[in-house]
Amino acid sequence: MKITIVYDNCLARAGLKKGWGFSALIEAANTPLILFDTGNEGAALLDNMKQLGIDPAQIGRIVISHAHGDHTGGLSDILEVNSHARIYLPASISVRNTGRDVVAVSRPVNISETVVSTGELKGIEQSLAIKTDKGIVVVTGCSHPGVGEILDVASRYGTVYGIIGGFHGFSNFKRLNGLSLICPCHCTQHTSEIEAMFPEQYVACGAGLTLEI
Ligand SMILES: [Zn+2]
Ligand SMILES: [Zn+2]
């Protein structure tokens, strides 16, 4: 799989816009192009996509981790330029009938044969578990249900290889033992401690970062 960070609090590539929030483009085997979260602000999201050579009309699946504005802010702008993507929303988000293809996620759900949603954990947030040759890669928005809880659910689908996304206030660092890739993004409060404890596994996040796993 390949993941490109489109929107983040930090920059990994000059010229992109940074902003509070998170968005990532995921290319996984036998899966339509997935946009995971949409950042805080649509114009910056679309501008970063343009600079990264991403055509928003090509996105086939949009997954919103949770209802906070730093993950949903760009959604309406994306939907203006993409009328066909299937949208996976946590079931706690109520939507009017918009005529869009919307899946309300509560239990774990297969998005494709290689991408699974953890389901809406603790009534707030879903994360993705992506099957790769190296193991499961977890993509998470803010990790409000807890990084450990998310890793526990993801590990039902195989050995977890790595985790990418916002860790929020997560500080139970031993839960990261055994991972080969740790890429804390966006709202992660203890990034420097995580980097100090896992220097080999740590990857600095930022808009423009691309990882191929
Ligand atoms: Zn957030
Ligand atoms: Zn949040």
Side-chain angles (χ1 to χ4, degrees):
M1 59 99 62
K2 180 177 168 186
I3 181 165
T4 302
I5 308 301
V6 183
Y7 198 104
D8 190 69
N9 303 11
C10 299
L11 284 186
R13 178 169 150 169
L16 297 181
K17 292 191 168 70
K18 64 178 172 184
W20 185 264
F22 188 67
S23 178
L25 188 84
I26 298 165
E27 298 165 61
N30 305 318
T31 306
L33 207 53
I34 297 174
L35 186 70
F36 179 85
D37 284 342
T38 61
N40 195 33
E41 207 261 309
L45 179 74
L46 289 173
D47 192 64
N48 283 358
M49 284 187 170
K50 192 174 181 185
Q51 293 197 54
L52 291 164
I54 299 164
D55 178 0
Q58 299 299 316
I59 292 164
R61 302 285 182 267
I62 298 169
V63 178
I64 296 295
S65 63
H66 65 299
H68 293 166
D70 48 339
H71 300 260
T72 62
L75 182 58
S76 57
D77 287 67
I78 290 289
L79 296 181
E80 272 176 30
V81 291
N82 182 315
S83 56
H84 63 87
R86 179 175 296 163
I87 307 160
Y88 291 81
L89 296 178
S92 62
I93 301 180
S94 56
V95 279
R96 291 170 286 121
N97 187 355
T98 56
R100 298 280 184 158
D101 181 2
V102 176
V103 179
V105 176
S106 47
R107 312 274 307 155
V109 59
N110 290 327
I111 291 173
S112 72
E113 61 189 64
T114 50
V115 181
V116 184
S117 163
T118 59
E120 184 182 47
L121 302 180
K122 297 196 177 167
I124 181 169
E125 183 172 350
Q126 62 177 330
S127 304
L128 295 181
I130 300 164
K131 297 169 190 166
T132 76
D133 293 341
K134 292 181 174 168
I136 299 294
V137 174
V138 176
V139 180
T140 181
C142 277
S143 300
H144 294 298
V147 170
E149 285 80 352
I150 293 165
L151 292 173
D152 285 343
V153 175
S155 65
R156 291 180 200 157
Y157 303 97
T159 302
V160 178
Y161 173 80
I163 181 167
I164 302 164
F167 295 5
H168 213 70
F170 168 73
S171 60
N172 187 11
F173 304 125
K174 63 180 187 294
R175 285 304 313 255
L176 302 175
N177 286 340
L179 299 183
S180 300
L181 169 72
I182 301 168
C183 183
C185 303
H186 170 47
C187 56
T188 307
Q189 291 166 15
H190 300 293
T191 306
S192 48
E193 289 99 319
I194 293 168
E195 182 178 12
M197 282 188 75
F198 302 96
E200 303 289 310
Q201 296 83 6
Y202 177 84
V203 175
C205 192
L209 175 72
T210 295
L211 296 173
E212 281 192 71
I213 299 156

